[in-house]
Amino acid sequence: EYKKRKRFSNNYQAAVNWKIIKPLTFRSEWGYEFKREHTEQVWGPSTSTAKGEAGKPSATFTKVDGSSYRIANTLTYDQRNFVKGHNLNIVLGQEVYAQDSEELVANSKFFPQSMTTSEILAMMSAGKAQPTETTIALPNRLSSFFGRINYSALDRYLATVTFRADGSSKFAKGNRWGFFPGVSAGWIFGQEDFVKDAVPFLSFGKLRASYGVNGNASGIGAYTL
């Protein structure tokens, strides 16, 4: 069996940061990827594939083209000591992702047993052509909105609230959006004076509790009627 695969890809990324005012920053990110893949494969007379067809070699050409892009924007408010000892960090964001791909497969079978791999690849017409297969994948689209609030007091009391909404084209209309909230609270008890006095060998101690909902659409095929 002979198999050769060539892959070519371009990946471009750029980002801009804009400090609007001292505590407020806007960031925009862009990404684009283009990739192409070409595979040629030959099964010779001694392979199990050819033996199942009277020992006749067969060959396949596969061509795949794909592209994707991503755009994300975030607005961050970061204010330390807005009241003495109290810090606040707020992030709001939006993201879109899109992916497209096309595949073409050409097969030919029952080449003369005397033909070498090079001859087969150079003369695909010497075999019996099979129906050409083309696949245009359904577009994969994802749109997201998200936010996070971090609050800390006296460098020891912590609270975080998060929220994310994702809409995916992989699901049917009316069921494309998922909502994923989360909340957590923490206490750095190692900073308390009564702990420092009672447990002098403790360099850091923290308790944290959290609850949230998460989702994942990877591995799920596109929705079709």
Side-chain angles (χ1 to χ4, degrees), residues 24-167:
L24 196 62
T25 302
F26 174 78
R27 178 177 174 84
S28 186
E29 301 176 6
W30 313 280
Y32 176 80
E33 181 182 21
F34 167 80
K35 55 186 176 182
R36 174 169 291 173
E37 185 176 293
H38 179 85
T39 304
E40 51 190 38
Q41 194 164 3
V42 177
W43 290 268
S46 61
T47 63
S48 58
T49 299
K51 285 181 179 179
E53 297 173 344
K56 299 289 187 177
S58 60
T60 298
F61 282 157
T62 304
K63 178 184 176 184
V64 179
D65 289 330
S67 64
S68 64
Y69 69 84
R70 172 183 173 269
I71 301 173
N73 299 293
T74 57
L75 187 64
T76 302
Y77 176 85
D78 189 15
Q79 183 66 63
R80 299 187 63 82
N81 291 313
F82 67 95
V83 176
K84 187 175 181 181
H86 297 260
N87 305 316
L88 185 63
N89 180 278
I90 302 174
V91 177
L92 297 175
Q94 163 271 337
E95 180 180 11
V96 293
Y97 174 80
Q99 182 184 48
D100 298 276
S101 65
E102 297 180 5
E103 182 180 51
L104 185 147
V105 180
N107 298 286
S108 205
K109 295 183 177 181
F110 309 116
F111 288 89
Q113 292 183 344
S114 60
M115 291 187 70
T116 66
T117 296
S118 299
E119 291 171 340
I120 290 173
L121 293 174
M123 295 182 288
M124 286 287 285
S125 59
K128 182 179 180 180
Q130 305 299 303
T132 300
E133 302 173 13
T134 59
T135 301
I136 300 177
L138 290 174
N140 178 17
R141 305 287 187 263
L142 179 68
S143 180
S144 303
F145 300 91
F146 52 89
R148 184 191 67 225
I149 301 174
N150 282 332
Y151 168 76
S152 66
L154 307 177
D155 293 327
R156 67 193 70 172
Y157 308 113
L158 314 171
T160 300
V161 177
T162 62
F163 179 79
R164 185 176 183 98
D166 292 317

